[in-house]
């Protein structure tokens, strides 16, 4: 998981690359580097962020109208100057930037060492660049052929941009498993791991498919596959605009994205709910609706926050569509030998649409004959292209590494799907269907009212910012929210946090509770309200500090808890969309108060395109 940007044209490449890297930094921020082609290849790279790279390159010759850049999230080899990209081959013929993992690198490295190659870094990427050079020199072929021959020996995933010192007017780009987008300008081309470094210059893009190779000069783009079959580039128009990827007046993307939720959820159901609120229409899954209606089982596969949304989906589908659901960690599912039949529907949930494990889960379920649906945010990403049908969340670009608005949009889509399916399968009365649609449409304004409590929530954050452990408890629909709240806190503040079904607390976590332990309890009025009140009493009896998320006007819990944060009343199936918001805010402020880098938490990356 890394960010790649490149440029070929008449403009100076350096500022385009730096700006592009800043936009891509959310994909990885261990080290950064650039290479500029200008009578030779000039590479500048260092440990640290893009700002460090700018300092490092200051005063160096930075001209050149062709170049590439990279921001890294370390996989092979610790973050260091030497392991930073771009990597250059031993004899200086090739330079490349790479996103992905070359799985057979050890074997390839041994072969190259036997041929006299020496390595300066611990990366799999350096093996690849030397492999290309070795083929180029030994077989006396042009750069493009050397690249294609090398890639045919590679097992693993890659998004690559490559330059050859002998063919300095061109860049070669290739993809397998790691995304690459080419922006088409007027006598110029831009490349990016996603469209964010491109949209400032052009809205015409080509998404590379697996095993595509593009040979790019400022005047021409030739597309082929690694077997050398010519391909016709498909130029598409992208909707993404620059204001959507700016931080605006917010200090962090995460805070901006928390605040965007009334709008992003509105965007998720825009055009999908009839004006009279009597009907849901999800155009992306119309064709597979008969299959979905008759499915024997739904499997939902995802990772991270998307997996928490999947769990909410399980409760929704079971309750309203009366369908058995299994929620799977994609990384586990793909390596088991699960029983999957053509009567199953697999729903893959992913903000980025690029998570390697989720993609692999899709491929496996597809081979076993299941129908595959996707719920993704990034339009044109890999997962939507692998699925039979799907629904985009339309939450807009999510840049903060800790997912917020993507989660609420995923849950919104799952709710719409479950209600629609419930109606189609006859397991839901029309009146309830309409009531729930009405409830969904009220979510944006209810979140607006929750956001008004931000400064009050910040005061609570102040009280618990020095905690070392914390517990999140919920029941039913709010158990996945407890998991998500705990994940948010640990991701960005590095406080240990565990989410638990409230009743399970007695089977272990209760032993941890003392006067230093903040316990966040999701306790809105639903069918398990009385039980959760008892759980709060159990925590208080052990001197734990209770921060309860309650329904507006709840007087009972106010008497018991140390703090209550109120959310507007709603049907319990809708409550995850509301109750998660105070937990996002509390994590955000605790992390800020602890001086943590909220948008770029240590060791994490926005999307994990490697196993
Ligand atoms: C990473 C991110 C998480 C995200 C997870 C799944 O771990 O840091 O925020 O939930 O990947 O990503 P996806 O793009 O598939 O939803």
């Amino acid at each position: 998981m890394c960010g790649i940007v490149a440029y070929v044209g008449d403009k100076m490449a350096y500022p385009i690359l730096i700006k592009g890297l800043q936009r891509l930094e959310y994909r990885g921020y261990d080290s950064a580097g650039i290479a500029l082609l200008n009578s030779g290849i000039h590479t500048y790279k260092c440990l640290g962020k893009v700002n460090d790279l700018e300092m490092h390159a200051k005063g160096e010759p930075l001209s050149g109208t062709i170049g590439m850049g990279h921001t890294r999230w370390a996989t092979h080899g610790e973050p260091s100057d030497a392991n930073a990209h771009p990597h250059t081959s031993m004899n200086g013929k090739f330079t490349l930037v790479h996103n992905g993992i070359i799985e057979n690198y050890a074997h390839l490295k041994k072969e190259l060492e036997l041929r006299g190659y020496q390595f300066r870094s611990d990366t799999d990427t350096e093996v690849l660049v030397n492999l290309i050079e070795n083929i180029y020199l030994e077989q006396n072929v042009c750069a493009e052929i050397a690249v294609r021959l090398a890639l045919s020996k590679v097992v693993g995933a890659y998004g690559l941009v490559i330059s050859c010192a002998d063919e300095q007017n061109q860049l070669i780009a290739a993809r397998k498993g790691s995304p690459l987008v080419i922006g088409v300008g007027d006598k110029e081309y831009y490349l990016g791991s996603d469209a964010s470094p491109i949209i400032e210059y052009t809205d015409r893009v080509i998404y590379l498919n697996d095993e595509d190779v593009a040979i790019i000069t400022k005047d021409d783009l030739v597309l082929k596959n690694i077997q050398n079959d010519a391909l016709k580039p498909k130029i598409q128009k992208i909707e993404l605009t620059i204001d959507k990827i700016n931080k605006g007046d917010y200090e962090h993307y995460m805070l901006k994205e928390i605040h965007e939720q009334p709008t992003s959820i509105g965007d998720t159901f825009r055009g999908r709910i009839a004006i009279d609120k009597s009907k849901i229409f999800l155009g992306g899954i119309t064709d597979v609706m008969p299959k979905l209606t008759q499915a024997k089982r739904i499997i939902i596969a995802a990772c991270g926050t998307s997996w928490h949304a999947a769990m909410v989906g399980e409760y929704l589908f079971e309750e309203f569509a009366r369908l058995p659901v299994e929620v799977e960690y994609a990384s586990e599912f793909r390596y088991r030998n699960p029983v999957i039949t053509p009567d199953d529907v697999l729903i893959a949930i992913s903000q980025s649409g690029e998570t390697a494990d989720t993609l692999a889960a899709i491929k496996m379920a597809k081979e076993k004959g299941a129908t595959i649906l996707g719920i993704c945010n990034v339009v044109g990403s890999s997962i939507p292209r692998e699925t039979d049908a799907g629904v985009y969340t339309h939450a807009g670009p999510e840049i903060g590494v800790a997912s917020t608005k993507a989660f609420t949009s995923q849950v919104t889509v799952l709710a719409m799907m479950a209600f629609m399916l419930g109606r189609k399968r006859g397991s839901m009365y029309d009146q309830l269907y309409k009531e729930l649609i009405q409830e969904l449409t009220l979510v944006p304004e209810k979140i607006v009212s929750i956001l008004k409590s931000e400064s009050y929530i910040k005061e609570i954050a102040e009280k618990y910012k020095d905690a070392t452990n914390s517990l999140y408890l919920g029941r039913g629909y709010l158990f996945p929210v407890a998991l998500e709240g705990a994940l948010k806190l640990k991701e960005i503040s590095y406080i240990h946090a565990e989410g638990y079904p409230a009743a399970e607390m007695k089977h272990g976590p209760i032993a941890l509770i003392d006067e230093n332990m903040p316990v966040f309890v999701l306790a809105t009025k639903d069918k398990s309200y009385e039980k959760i009140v008892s759980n709060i009493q159990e925590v208080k009896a052990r001197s734990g500090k209770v921060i309860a998320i309650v329904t507006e006007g709840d007087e009972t819990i106010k008497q018991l808890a140390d703090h209550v944060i109120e959310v507007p009343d709603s049907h319990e199936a809708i409550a995850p969309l509301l109750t998660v918001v105070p937990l996002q805010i509390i994590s955000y402020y605790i992390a800020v108060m602890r001086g943590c880098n909220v948008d770029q938490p240590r060791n994490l990356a926005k999307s994990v395109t490697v196993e």
Side-chain angles (χ1 to χ4, degrees):
M1 147 101 260
C2 304
I4 289 176
V5 60
Y7 175 75
V8 186
D10 286 324
K11 295 180 194 144
M12 279 298 136
Y14 179 74
I16 296 170
L17 299 180
I18 290 293
K19 204 186 258 185
L21 288 181
Q22 281 159 345
R23 298 234 162 94
L24 289 168
E25 208 167 16
Y26 73 96
R27 299 177 70 92
Y29 32 83
D30 294 334
S31 58
I34 51 159
L36 296 163
L37 279 67
N38 187 15
S39 317
I41 301 175
H42 307 277
T43 301
Y44 309 103
K45 58 182 189 173
C46 65
L47 179 69
K49 307 213 164 162
V50 180
N51 288 346
D52 300 305
L53 172 66
E54 279 187 277
M55 293 306 290
H56 175 72
K58 216 174 185 170
E60 301 288 347
L62 296 172
S63 47
T65 59
I66 302 181
M68 64 181 83
H70 188 271
T71 174
R72 178 168 187 252
W73 183 71
T75 53
H76 282 68
E78 59 172 16
S80 68
D81 291 350
N83 289 337
H85 297 218
H87 287 281
T88 297
S89 55
M90 193 176 78
N91 300 299
K93 292 287 180 197
F94 287 86
T95 296
L96 70 76
V97 287
H98 169 217
N99 177 16
I101 288 188
I102 308 300
E103 288 170 13
N104 57 340
Y105 82 99
H107 164 75
L108 296 171
K109 189 171 182 180
K110 225 172 258 164
E111 281 191 357
L112 288 164
E113 278 168 345
L114 289 175
R115 292 173 143 84
Y117 270 88
Q118 287 169 2
F119 294 85
R120 292 174 284 234
S121 76
D122 310 316
T123 64
D124 51 341
T125 307
E126 195 188 1
V127 175
L128 179 60
V129 75
N130 280 322
L131 177 67
I132 296 170
E133 182 185 86
N134 183 245
I135 292 172
Y136 178 76
L137 294 175
E138 278 193 4
Q139 302 192 21
N140 200 18
V141 288
C142 69
E144 174 222 319
I145 296 179
V147 168
R148 285 193 292 100
L149 291 176
L151 292 182
S152 63
K153 289 176 171 245
V154 156
V155 178
Y158 53 79
L160 296 165
V161 177
I162 307 154
S163 69
C164 175
D166 300 332
E167 300 174 29
Q168 285 202 26
N169 63 334
Q170 72 175 20
L171 291 178
I172 299 172
R175 165 204 160 124
K176 187 178 174 192
S178 288
L180 261 191
V181 190
I182 302 176
V184 182
D186 183 16
K187 284 192 176 295
E188 58 180 5
Y189 293 93
Y190 300 82
L191 290 98
S193 303
D194 61 43
S196 62
I198 297 174
I199 49 169
E200 189 170 345
Y201 312 102
T202 177
D203 60 359
R204 299 168 68 226
V205 297
I206 300 163
Y207 293 101
L208 290 192
N209 289 313
D210 276 354
E211 303 207 337
D212 280 2
V213 178
I215 302 100
I216 308 163
T217 63
K218 77 181 168 77
D219 300 310
D220 197 20
L221 182 148
V222 175
L223 192 64
K224 44 177 72 173
N225 59 22
I226 58 172
Q227 289 81 31
N228 202 24
D229 303 314
L231 301 170
K232 197 170 176 316
K234 186 173 154 216
I235 299 181
Q236 304 183 31
K237 199 166 172 336
I238 37 169
E239 305 297 332
L240 191 62
T241 52
I242 197 81
D243 55 308
K244 295 224 169 104
I245 57 169
N246 284 336
K247 237 184 326 196
D249 294 332
Y250 291 94
E251 202 183 330
H252 297 102
Y253 279 109
M254 184 180 175
L255 189 61
K256 176 181 180 235
E257 288 155 8
I258 290 171
H259 277 261
E260 276 174 347
Q261 290 176 109
T263 315
S264 52
I265 292 173
D267 289 343
T268 304
F269 57 62
R270 173 158 316 118
R272 291 163 166 171
I273 291 182
I275 296 175
D276 64 0
K277 298 178 185 159
S278 64
K279 212 174 160 200
I280 295 169
F281 175 76
L282 296 173
I285 55 169
T286 312
D287 291 350
V288 294
M289 216 46 208
K291 187 89 206 184
L292 195 52
T293 315
Q294 277 150 35
K296 295 260 184 308
R297 178 175 68 148
I298 291 178
I299 302 163
I300 316 183
C303 303
T305 288
S306 298
W307 187 85
H308 297 153
M311 282 195 66
V312 180
E314 175 181 21
Y315 292 43
L316 288 163
F317 281 114
E318 283 185 357
E319 177 161 2
F320 299 107
R322 302 301 301 141
L323 261 172
V325 179
E326 276 167 37
V327 175
E328 299 278 0
Y329 283 115
S331 55
E332 286 295 314
F333 180 70
R334 64 178 287 194
Y335 286 117
R336 290 211 317 269
N337 187 10
V339 181
I340 303 171
T341 73
D343 291 327
D344 291 331
V345 171
L346 178 125
I347 304 177
I349 307 181
S350 173
Q351 186 286 130
S352 62
E354 301 293 350
T355 302
D357 285 324
T358 311
L359 261 167
I362 289 175
K363 285 181 186 156
M364 186 182 74
K366 215 184 209 177
E367 274 164 23
K368 294 183 189 256
T371 301
I372 315 289
L373 309 187
I375 299 177
C376 293
N377 194 37
V378 178
V379 176
S381 54
S382 301
I383 291 176
R385 290 191 286 145
E386 287 289 333
T387 51
D388 298 309
V391 181
Y392 279 118
T393 45
H394 292 314
E398 190 180 67
I399 311 246
V401 166
S403 187
T404 51
K405 65 174 181 172
F407 173 80
T408 44
S409 283
Q410 288 163 346
V411 172
T412 303
V413 168
L414 287 161
M416 286 194 290
M417 275 175 127
F419 301 158
M420 200 171 128
L421 203 57
R423 198 67 204 103
K424 285 251 162 23
R425 285 170 55 86
S427 51
M428 197 176 177
Y429 291 118
D430 196 44
Q431 197 190 334
L432 179 61
Y433 176 64
K434 287 184 180 151
E435 266 172 36
L436 284 167
I437 296 176
Q438 172 76 23
E439 284 254 7
L440 255 190
T441 60
L442 295 176
V443 167
E445 65 193 64
K446 289 184 179 176
I447 294 184
V448 169
S449 94
I450 296 169
L451 291 171
K452 288 189 183 137
S453 315
E454 187 174 342
S455 44
Y456 166 66
I457 298 174
K458 189 175 170 186
E459 284 168 25
I460 298 175
E462 174 74 45
K463 294 195 166 44
Y464 298 101
K465 67 177 191 321
D466 298 319
T468 46
N469 286 297
S470 61
L471 200 54
Y472 286 70
L473 303 176
R475 284 172 173 261
Y477 283 101
L478 300 184
F479 164 48
V481 178
L483 295 178
E484 177 57 11
L487 177 64
K488 282 296 82 81
L489 189 70
K490 70 184 135 198
E491 275 180 316
I492 59 172
S493 74
Y494 319 136
I495 295 175
H496 174 242
E498 276 191 65
Y500 248 80
E504 276 292 306
M505 175 183 65
K506 292 193 276 301
H507 302 287
I510 201 162
L512 300 169
I513 294 174
D514 61 18
E515 65 285 0
N516 300 316
M517 178 76 132
V519 183
F520 298 87
V521 188
L522 293 141
T524 50
K525 293 236 163 98
D526 58 23
K527 54 178 169 292
S528 40
Y529 177 75
E530 302 301 335
K531 308 245 179 267
I532 204 99
V533 170
S534 307
N535 297 136
I536 292 175
Q537 273 158 337
E538 286 156 8
V539 174
K540 285 313 298 172
R542 277 130 193 117
S543 306
K545 298 277 181 292
V546 171
I547 304 102
I549 317 298
V550 301
T551 304
E552 246 162 36
D554 185 322
E555 290 302 324
T556 313
I557 296 183
K558 212 178 254 172
Q559 307 302 319
L560 297 172
D562 296 85
H563 313 274
V564 293
I565 302 171
E566 294 188 335
V567 298
D569 192 16
S570 73
H571 187 284
E572 62 179 1
I574 305 292
L577 292 168
L578 307 177
T579 48
V580 75
V581 178
L583 301 185
Q584 295 167 344
I585 299 173
I586 220 156
S587 301
Y588 170 79
Y589 280 109
I590 288 180
V592 170
M593 288 167 194
R594 289 166 69 94
C596 302
N597 187 337
V598 172
D599 283 334
Q600 296 176 347
R602 72 181 179 208
N603 305 341
L604 296 179
K606 184 66 187 159
S607 90
V608 180
T609 55
V610 294
E611 282 187 53

